[in-house]
Amino acid sequence: KMGKDYNEEYFEDILRECEEKASKKLPNLKPSHRQAFVEACEIFHEAFESAKDARSEDELVKAAKQQEKGMKKSVKAANKLFEKLDLSGSSEKYMLKGCIIVKATPAGLAEVCAEGK
C-alpha cells in the first residue's frame, strides 16, 4: 500500500513545480537534434496507431516492424539530446520529470497509482 495520496492534484502540483524550476536555466540543444527526435517519435507513434488498427496479421507484422524502426530512431535521436544534458543539474531533472508527467498526464498517473493500492 502506498503511503501518500497520489491523486491528480498531487501530479499537477509536481508539474507546476517542474515548470518553475526547469525554466530557470534551459540547456543549449541543437534545433536539428530536437527536430530529429520529434520526427522519430512521430514515426513511432504513427506505427503504434497502425498496429492498433491492423486488420490482418500482415498489417500487424508490418506495423510492428515500423514500430521497432521508429523506436530505434527515437532512441538514437534522444541520445544526441541527452548527451548535452547534465542530469545532475536540477533544471534538467525537473524537465525530465515534467515531460513524463505531461506525456502520462496527471490523471493517468493517478489512475495507475490507484490501481496499485
Side-chain angles (χ1 to χ4, degrees):
K1 211 170 189 181
M2 296 183 186
K4 286 186 177 181
D5 187 16
Y6 294 105
N7 58 22
E8 189 172 353
E9 183 180 350
Y10 171 82
F11 290 107
E12 287 172 350
D13 289 344
I14 291 176
L15 183 57
R16 274 190 290 282
E17 177 188 13
C18 290
E19 288 170 346
E20 291 169 12
K21 293 186 177 184
S23 64
K24 288 182 180 174
K25 182 183 175 224
L26 298 175
N28 186 17
L29 302 174
K30 288 185 179 180
S32 61
H33 289 172
R34 188 179 307 128
Q35 185 62 32
F37 177 69
V38 168
E39 289 172 4
C41 289
E42 287 171 351
I43 290 169
F44 174 79
H45 183 69
E46 287 170 11
F48 174 76
E49 291 298 322
S50 293
K52 287 186 352 185
D53 298 334
R55 290 182 172 79
S56 69
E57 186 69 27
D58 287 343
E59 285 181 14
L60 187 59
V61 168
K62 184 178 178 184
K65 286 180 183 178
Q66 286 300 106
Q67 271 186 289
E68 186 176 345
K69 202 177 198 179
M71 179 59 76
K72 286 179 182 177
K73 284 185 177 185
S74 296
V75 169
K76 186 176 180 181
N79 283 335
K80 285 188 178 186
L81 290 176
F82 286 132
E83 69 189 17
K84 297 292 182 188
L85 295 178
D86 175 12
L87 294 177
S88 65
S90 64
S91 64
E92 286 83 0
K93 284 190 279 190
Y94 287 106
M95 285 174 31
L96 189 57
K97 196 178 198 181
C99 285
I100 292 168
I101 294 172
V102 165
K103 291 297 179 187
T105 75
L109 289 168
E111 184 178 329
V112 169
C113 290
E115 290 172 5
K117 287 186 175 181

